[in-house]
Amino acid sequence: MTTPLLSIRDLRVRIGDREVLQGINLDVPAGQVHAIMGPNGSGKSSLSHVLAGKPGYTVTGGTVLFKGQDLLALPAEERAREGMFLGFQYPVEIPGVNNAYLLRAALNAARRHRSEPEVDAFDFLALVKSRMQLMRMDEAFLSRGVNEGFSGGEKKRNEILQMLVLEPSLAVLDETDSGLDIDALKVVAAGIQTLRAPDRAIVLVTHYQRLLDHVAPDQVHVLARGRIIKSGGPELALELERRGYDWLLDDAA
Amino acid sequence: MNFAQRLQHDHAAALSLLSDAAVPSAARHAALTRLTELGLPGLRDDDFRYANLRPLSRASFAPAAEPAELASQLASLLPARLDGYTRCVLVNGRLATAYSDSAAALAAAGVGATLNDSFEASLPDIGPAERFDLLNQAFATDCLRISSAGAVRLEILCISLAGATDAASYPRLQVQLQPGADMTLIERHLGGNASGITVSTCNVQLGRDAQLQHYRLQDLSLDATWLDTLRATLDANAHYRLSLLALGGGAARSSVRVRLAGQGARLMLNGASLADGKRVLDTVIRVEHEGRDTRSDQLLRAVANEQSGISMTSRVEVSAVAGGADSRQSLKGLITAKGAEINLRPQLEILTDEVTASHGATTGALDENMLFYLLSRGLEADTARKLLEWAFIADVMSRIELPALRRQVEMATVTRMGNAAALESLL
């Protein structure tokens, strides 16, 4: 078996005195989509944040290998340039920083990292516009501040747009489906599907089955109380939808 | 010698340079007397609590002579021409005809006009906070008088150049807009490696229904001292749009005082101060609502890096007869380093019930969530920080309505911020 794209071993993380991740083990091979589900407060967002390098979390044990290298040793910006993408649950508004500027700066940062030439303004615009069409976003969004005045759904679409332009090798999407109506969910799901490829992996952090109706996962994991308490195939998500989490929590306790 | 003695001494020594045409000698002496009475502001003087006046303790007040070798220094300081703007260049406070447009062009823009008698009398008083205007009156070597009744676009470049000694320069502008006149005035204070004192004065009178769009940019060198006073009076329904951008100077103090004298007069003031190193930038604004239904909007932003200090005081006074007044003040500061300091002071004094007023002042560090968002997209940490600093003053920049000027100002700003290469594609 080839090395997984992402390999997490016994990851333990604290926020202050609280241990929010209590020994996570997870392998995500290239070409696969994994879903991480679980009740509120189970550590799903903490796991996403730690993978992306958000400050405020203390790793007390374990390892995370991304493409075979120690992910936790890299600052957040280098993780991104290595091909790690976090789709935020709550994308932040940054008035005064232009959406298109950020996208182009992000794309060129990654390209420089790979020793590829930077994209010029013309090619960049063509690329972004084609991706915006896919996400059914108005081109006017380009000239606005990052997420400034966007509705919840528009912010999530913008996250997926960024992902489609950056084409990361690993996308961790933190509750990208929350707050979306049915039509927006379909658009976002179609965007995610576009990124599926043999050399990439996607981790969907979600509460609900409904996104998984559109983006079929290869593996489903249940995260509860800082641990992965069950893993299975797509059928596990359906069972969770039917039965909730309590039966698993009782088993695990 | 103490302050008063130095004033007298330097003034007596400079007499041959101080023409009656610039400021009548009686007025010069009156200013000198009043300034001597007021003295240098002390440490407990609230109007100057945050200003750095140390350079004054040893400075010579004698006006700079015209530097002999202008051309080589000037060339690198003059910004590109703006289409449709008449250019007027002052070097060390004196009109430099060789670098300005022709006398006919200047006259067409109203430069060199005689002002109405009402001019001086209409201006706001010179209070203790505006006392350095007295220094300008006493020592000004020239006075640029501008009067216009029509539509004028004028650019005034006040250049401070290093001479043999660190002498002072005294640019002095008087701007009178006749009723209904419409002017865009760009006023820039620039300097190369000049370390002397620049004491600038700009007096403005807007007649009834007149409109003035006034951009003031200060981008002097790190060791320069700038003591600036702007006084303005607005008649009925006059509209004054004022941008104050302070990027340079080691010790800069700008005192702004605006009288909204006529009914319906309106001031829109946008200001940004950006400092690095050990610069100390101090702005004190006083707006006096005197007419009915007057309005003032102020948007002030400060970004303090390294060990710099920025202060912005904005005092709004609404008199008992200024019913229907509307005043808004928004002051925000961003501190990016432990040694940096920002002091924002919005002040409001209202003597009538019939008024709408709002004010807010907040100072904070860079938003960690915004920073992480940018980093998570692969931006360099330094670029991400600079980008957020830029975003902080973007509101003020975006209100520069003239695209060519906005671009010049933006370039000057990113150059001051460092990392210009990474930010240039912003523009």
Side-chain angles (χ1 to χ4, degrees), chain A residues 52-55 76-77 80-81 85-86 88 91-97 101-102 105-106 109 146-147 159 162, chain B residues 367-381 383 387-388 390-392 394 422-426:
Chain A
K54 186 173 183 176
E77 62 272 27
R81 284 179 231 148
F85 179 88
L86 172 64
F88 284 69
V92 60
E93 295 193 19
I94 315 181
V97 174
Y101 170 80
L102 171 61
V146 173
N147 293 318
E159 294 292 290
Q162 293 180 4
Chain B
D367 185 310
E368 289 297 328
N369 286 323
M370 291 185 188
L371 186 61
F372 175 62
Y373 192 85
L374 298 179
L375 295 177
S376 80
R377 297 303 180 245
L379 268 64
E380 287 286 348
T383 305
L387 197 53
L388 291 176
W390 172 264
F392 197 80
L423 292 174
E424 239 172 284
S425 49
L426 264 177

Side-chain angles (χ1 to χ4, degrees), chain B residues 327-346:
Chain B
S327 157
R328 289 149 208 234
Q329 294 163 276
S330 162
L331 291 77
K332 286 186 187 172
L334 174 63
I335 295 176
T336 70
K338 266 204 170 127
E341 186 180 334
I342 290 182
N343 291 288
L344 303 177
R345 295 194 293 176

Side-chain angles (χ1 to χ4, degrees), chain B residues 121-150:
Chain B
S122 77
L123 292 173
D125 295 338
I126 298 174
E130 295 85 31
R131 76 184 71 175
F132 290 114
D133 180 60
L134 299 165
L135 190 58
N136 180 285
Q137 282 188 48
F139 286 95
T141 43
D142 209 343
C143 179
L144 203 63
R145 295 185 179 87
I146 301 157
S147 175
S148 174

Side-chain angles (χ1 to χ4, degrees), chain A residues 104 107-108 111 117-128:
Chain A
R104 191 171 159 210
L107 179 60
N108 281 332
R111 290 179 69 93
E118 300 191 5
V119 285
D120 66 30
F122 188 80
D123 292 342
F124 171 74
L125 215 57
L127 171 71
V128 175

Side-chain angles (χ1 to χ4, degrees), chain A residues 98-118:
Chain A
N98 179 277
N99 224 4
Y101 170 80
L102 171 61
L103 252 181
R104 191 171 159 210
L107 179 60
N108 281 332
R111 290 179 69 93
R112 275 197 305 276
H113 187 70
R114 298 192 296 259
S115 304
E116 294 170 13
E118 300 191 5

Side-chain angles (χ1 to χ4, degrees), chain B residues 73 77 92 159-163 166-167 169 190-198 220-225:
Chain B
Q73 291 189 59
L77 287 172
N92 291 348
I159 312 281
S160 294
L161 285 180
D166 285 343
S169 57
L190 307 170
N193 54 358
S195 58
I197 298 181
T198 298
L220 293 163
S221 63
L222 177 58
D223 40 6
T225 300

